[in-house]
Amino acid sequence: MSDKILVIGESREGVLRNVSFEAIAAARKMNDNAEVVALLLSDGELEDQAQEMIYYGADRAVTVKHENLKNYTSEGYGQVVLEVVDEETPDAIIMGHTAIGKDLTPKIASRLELGLVSDATEIETDGEDVIFTRPIYSGKAFEKKVIKEGITFATIRPNNIAALEKDESRSGEIQAKDVDVKDLRTVIKEVIRKQSEGVDMSEASVVIAGGRGVKSAEGFEPLYELANLLGGAVGASRGACDAEYCDYSLQIGQTGKVITPDLYIAVGISGAIQHLAGMSNSKVIVAINKDPEANIFNIADYGIVGDLFEVIPLLTEELKQQIG
Ligand code: FAD
């Protein structure tokens, strides 16, 4: 039984990523009566974020502020997490399966000689066992895993486990902990973001993805307009990236990002198996393609057979009127 669960939160530019709240919900699914302790790391103030974690279901929060935590490094974050785990002795550790989560958690697991279940999309319990479901073979099958020994350690896929309702009446202790983050062998001089500003694709609830059918970089502009309207992000097929219509950071699929938004709109994408590997678990899939035989229609919930250059402006106009 996981009586104390450590949730490692993550923020970007001072704003907590939604997956941090989802990780708290995951902890509650493991054991609703557990003490859920949120850990936050930064070079800046963390008090408000810690309070936010408590509003979303954490019982208390530990914050670690240090100038060497300005940018993520596995060494810097690793030192903090190992020290906090040593002090808190949690029964379980949960983190988002984000770029940082994917890099940090295997290193922590190896240092602590623990098993790690990565990329869990569902959590259930059976008596004392916590059962994690995770996709395998590029999402074509699922496996269920239980950790039988040591600390239960898992990462959760963003957008799969719903965060709890924010409850501002909740309160909890916020402990500012000193950790001397030192002797780092790597120093990040500068971070140059490739992806455009705005909503992060891996956590967006709406993703509008363009394929080779979009035909040019300019052809992507209406997709950005639609995405902005819906508060979503723009993604792409590898076909579109190879054709240099957009950056590879937007690629979705087997060799790109794996996403599970509430709404995925595939625009001029044929639906190759390698593309489906990155988006087939989206909750609602809409496909716009002029070829009625396109494979994407086989997994789409809604299909629009038509020319995207006609359909997208019509859709955008209609939405503008609906949204006001
Ligand atoms: P196409 O297959 O060329 O499809 C374009 C579609 O646009 C067509 O269906 C066409 O009917 C439609 N269209 C054209 N004009 C219009 C119009 N005016 N209006 C409406 N529809 C229109 N691909 C990925 O996406 N992600 C990956 O991670 C990935 N990894 C790969 C890994 C490996 C090892 C390999 C071998 C391939 C990988 N691929 C990946 C590539 C994949 O096989 C496909 O080649 C690619 O997904 C095709 O991109 P596309 O659908 O944009 O292009």
Side-chain angles (χ1 to χ4, degrees):
M1 181 64 78
S2 301
D3 292 325
K4 190 196 264 191
I5 305 176
L6 184 70
V7 169
I8 305 173
E10 223 188 288
S11 57
R12 179 180 282 174
E13 281 147 19
V15 179
L16 274 168
R17 300 182 68 173
N18 202 43
V19 71
S20 311
F21 307 136
E22 293 169 356
I24 295 173
R28 289 273 168 239
K29 276 182 161 235
M30 290 165 68
N31 178 6
D32 200 21
N33 297 317
E35 181 187 22
V36 177
V37 183
L39 170 62
L40 296 171
L41 308 82
S42 172
D43 67 326
E45 290 311 320
L46 285 164
E47 182 88 13
D48 289 352
Q49 292 180 31
Q51 188 58 60
E52 196 80 351
M53 291 293 268
I54 291 166
Y55 289 158
Y56 275 95
D59 294 302
R60 61 186 176 88
V62 176
T63 62
V64 180
K65 179 181 165 187
H66 194 285
E67 57 178 354
N68 284 344
L69 298 173
K70 181 172 194 300
N71 290 307
Y72 167 76
T73 58
S74 57
E75 277 183 291
Y77 272 48
Q79 285 179 22
V80 174
V81 174
L82 288 171
E83 196 165 320
V84 171
V85 169
D86 190 46
E87 194 172 290
E88 294 283 343
T89 61
D91 303 293
I93 309 172
I94 302 289
M95 189 175 185
H97 196 69
T98 58
I100 292 180
K102 284 182 220 175
D103 189 64
L104 179 65
T105 52
K107 290 183 174 134
I108 302 286
S110 138
R111 287 292 296 273
L112 296 173
E113 298 187 3
L114 297 174
L116 172 67
V117 177
S118 63
D119 203 17
T121 52
E122 231 179 278
I123 297 175
E124 306 148 271
T125 52
D126 180 11
E128 297 277 288
D129 287 342
V130 177
I131 306 162
F132 296 96
T133 303
R134 60 185 297 274
I136 51 172
Y137 305 125
S138 303
K140 288 197 274 298
F142 292 86
E143 67 174 2
K144 289 185 184 276
K145 280 199 158 176
V146 175
I147 294 182
K148 287 287 191 184
E149 255 183 54
I151 298 174
T152 300
F153 195 5
T155 59
I156 56 154
R157 183 179 285 191
N159 262 333
N160 276 264
I161 296 166
L164 304 171
E165 288 282 312
K166 183 175 180 178
D167 177 359
E168 295 194 16
S169 68
R170 288 180 58 83
S171 60
E173 186 200 347
I174 298 172
Q175 179 201 349
K177 182 175 163 56
D178 282 327
V179 178
D180 191 12
V181 183
K182 58 182 182 193
D183 301 331
L184 301 185
R185 283 168 297 183
T186 47
V187 177
I188 310 266
K189 293 280 196 193
E190 190 186 358
V191 176
I192 302 160
R193 290 199 193 287
K194 270 187 151 185
Q195 202 167 326
S196 59
E197 295 303 313
V199 185
D200 181 345
M201 186 171 51
S202 47
E203 283 180 45
S205 55
V206 177
V207 172
I208 319 288
R212 220 188 314 252
V214 172
K215 294 192 172 59
S216 65
E218 295 72 49
F220 264 77
E221 278 161 23
L223 273 58
Y224 279 103
E225 192 188 352
L226 183 58
N228 282 340
L229 205 59
L230 296 170
V234 169
S237 69
R238 180 156 140 192
C241 300
D242 284 346
E244 299 183 1
Y245 304 160
C246 56
D247 192 87
Y248 279 103
S249 60
L250 298 191
Q251 186 182 319
I252 295 159
Q254 187 181 316
T255 45
K257 294 204 167 87
V258 177
I259 56 166
T260 44
D262 294 336
L263 173 63
Y264 182 84
I265 307 184
V267 184
I269 293 179
S270 59
I273 187 81
Q274 297 89 350
H275 185 75
L276 303 189
M279 45 60 72
S280 60
N281 289 323
S282 303
K283 292 181 189 82
V284 175
I285 298 171
V286 177
I288 303 169
N289 199 304
K290 67 177 184 186
D291 175 7
E293 301 297 321
N295 191 44
I296 193 79
F297 288 127
N298 290 326
I299 62 151
D301 298 287
Y302 301 94
I304 302 173
V305 179
D307 185 331
L308 69 94
F309 297 103
E310 288 170 19
V311 176
I312 293 290
L314 282 174
L315 201 57
T316 307
E317 217 32 63
E318 183 63 26
L319 277 165
K320 273 187 190 160
Q321 285 184 15
Q322 298 287 333
I323 296 168

